[in-house]
Amino acid sequence: MKLIILLGQRVRSGTNFIGTTLKQHPDVVCVPVNTSAGEMNIFKDASIKTQIYNKVSKSFGARLTDKDFPEFMKYYGELWKSFLEKKYNLPQDKVVFIKSPYIEHVELWKLAFPNSQIALLCRDGRDNVISSVKASNDRRKWHTKKIKFKKNFNYFSGRSFYAHTKDWKNTANLFHEISESPKLKKIRYEDLINSPKEIENLLKFYELRTDSEIVKKCLSAPIVGSSFGVSDNGMVKPNWEPIDNKENFKFTGKWNKWNIFQKTFFKKIANKELMQLNYVKNHNW
């Protein structure tokens, strides 16, 4: 089974946009089948090493060392592929796409899936923070008064803005420090919007067919909300239906409505990282 992987810089980086785009390709299939296109947070943390492998390696007589870990991870990756193939009855002639909005443990992905192409996706921190703050202040029917109060406090006090800005800064540094290779490519969300050339480049990196009809189909992918999942009490979401007409949808520059305090605050925390990722040249924005 051939597997291709996308890792987002953090939540709200556009992984669902890329997933929906790739889903239009006739050779690509996504899992899980009926939820967010390809969402599989296999390495949200490093517990496979810290809580499993390392503990077993300390067993008396096991004689496992860090040198054995890469070999163990290859088998772990093959186990996941075999499991997904059987659970979802995946066709052998398709390429399987999975994604995750966490890049902190990209080395684990590389070890588990050494033959897979991995793309890393970043997004302008200003738009990412706006989207994150809005998402964290969402409203659900199952929210208690305590949850609603906490959300309102975090939103109006600026705590949510600060927390998402700090996290974008930290993950932007991680993204910047990761080195590209033939099997690992760094891309920007903004560069893929309405760009046949960049879509074609992404398909080529994933070793997928790139004829004009396929690229056109990928470009016409509907816009789908990324708030998919199931809550603890079993409530299923997404938030909204797919949008086919993109003409009135604003992909970038949502931060333009920020006031002087928001701009100053973001600049003080994360402008260095914004420049590192080539979103701005200086502080004059």
Side-chain angles (χ1 to χ4, degrees):
M1 184 181 88
K2 183 177 179 181
L3 185 72
I4 56 176
I5 300 164
L6 175 73
L7 304 181
Q9 175 192 339
R10 68 185 301 268
V11 295
R12 319 302 297 186
S13 289
T15 57
N16 212 63
F17 168 79
I18 304 299
T20 306
T21 298
L22 291 173
K23 198 172 183 179
Q24 310 310 308
H25 197 289
D27 297 337
V28 173
V29 62
C30 298
V31 292
V33 177
N34 297 316
T35 57
S36 184
E39 192 78 8
M40 290 290 295
N41 300 324
I42 297 175
F43 299 118
K44 187 175 181 179
D45 56 41
S47 58
I48 185 63
K49 188 173 194 303
T50 59
Q51 299 299 313
I52 298 176
Y53 183 84
N54 286 353
K55 288 187 175 182
V56 174
S57 69
K58 294 175 182 177
S59 301
F60 181 76
R63 296 183 181 178
L64 298 177
T65 68
D66 285 343
K67 291 182 179 180
D68 298 311
F69 184 65
E71 188 67 17
F72 166 81
M73 287 300 291
K74 279 195 239 179
Y75 285 108
Y76 183 68
E78 288 299 319
L79 175 64
W80 266 111
K81 288 169 67 175
S82 178
F83 172 73
L84 293 175
E85 186 176 352
K86 292 179 180 178
K87 178 173 176 60
Y88 297 110
N89 194 27
L90 301 175
Q92 292 292 319
D93 60 340
K94 299 288 186 178
V95 176
V96 178
F97 169 78
I98 63 172
K99 66 181 178 68
S100 174
Y102 304 99
I103 62 167
E104 288 86 345
H105 304 291
V106 63
E107 291 303 318
L108 294 177
W109 287 94
K110 289 164 65 177
L111 289 174
F113 307 104
N115 297 318
S116 294
Q117 301 294 107
I118 303 175
L120 306 183
L121 178 70
C122 70
R123 185 183 183 185
D124 187 318
R126 297 163 295 185
D127 284 331
N128 178 269
V129 168
I130 285 179
S131 182
S132 299
V133 170
K134 182 180 179 180
S136 62
N137 196 43
D138 66 350
R139 291 292 182 267
R140 308 287 177 193
K141 292 181 179 179
W142 51 268
H143 283 171
T144 62
K145 290 183 179 180
K146 183 178 180 180
I147 291 174
K148 291 178 182 177
F149 174 81
K150 185 177 180 180
K151 282 178 173 288
N152 283 332
F153 178 77
N154 288 340
Y155 181 80
F156 290 107
S157 69
R159 286 184 65 185
S160 182
F161 188 98
Y162 173 77
H164 287 298
T165 301
K166 284 285 290 184
D167 192 58
W168 184 88
K169 168 191 173 74
N170 293 335
T171 55
N173 275 317
L174 284 173
F175 185 93
H176 178 69
E177 291 168 2
I178 294 170
S179 298
E180 290 186 303
S181 71
K183 289 198 168 294
L184 192 146
K185 177 181 177 68
K186 295 197 282 190
I187 57 177
R188 303 198 317 172
Y189 165 77
E190 296 78 9
D191 295 339
L192 291 156
I193 297 170
N194 295 324
S195 173
K197 184 62 178 176
E198 291 301 326
I199 293 294
E200 183 180 350
N201 288 339
L202 181 61
L203 297 182
K204 285 181 178 178
F205 170 72
Y206 279 137
E207 299 174 346
L208 296 167
R209 289 187 291 146
T210 59
D211 63 65
S212 59
E213 284 302 312
I214 289 177
V215 173
K216 183 178 179 181
K217 190 174 181 181
C218 288
L219 277 169
S220 64
I223 304 166
V224 182
S226 60
S227 298
F228 283 79
V230 180
S231 67
D232 290 340
N233 65 359
M235 180 177 181
V236 180
K237 48 181 184 177
N239 284 352
W240 39 282
E241 294 297 321
I243 299 173
D244 292 313
N245 185 0
K246 300 181 181 180
E247 292 183 5
N248 297 323
F249 190 85
K250 190 174 179 62
F251 288 94
T252 62
K254 297 179 181 181
W255 60 269
N256 284 321
K257 294 184 179 180
W258 274 357
N259 58 44
I260 187 65
F261 299 106
Q262 290 170 306
K263 290 180 180 179
T264 301
F265 193 69
F266 186 93
K267 288 178 184 179
K268 185 175 182 179
I269 296 173
N271 203 70
K272 174 186 172 184
E273 289 69 28
L274 206 60
M275 290 190 291
Q276 280 182 344
L277 299 186
N278 297 316
Y279 283 108
V280 296
K281 294 183 178 179
N282 49 48
H283 282 70
N284 299 322
W285 52 268

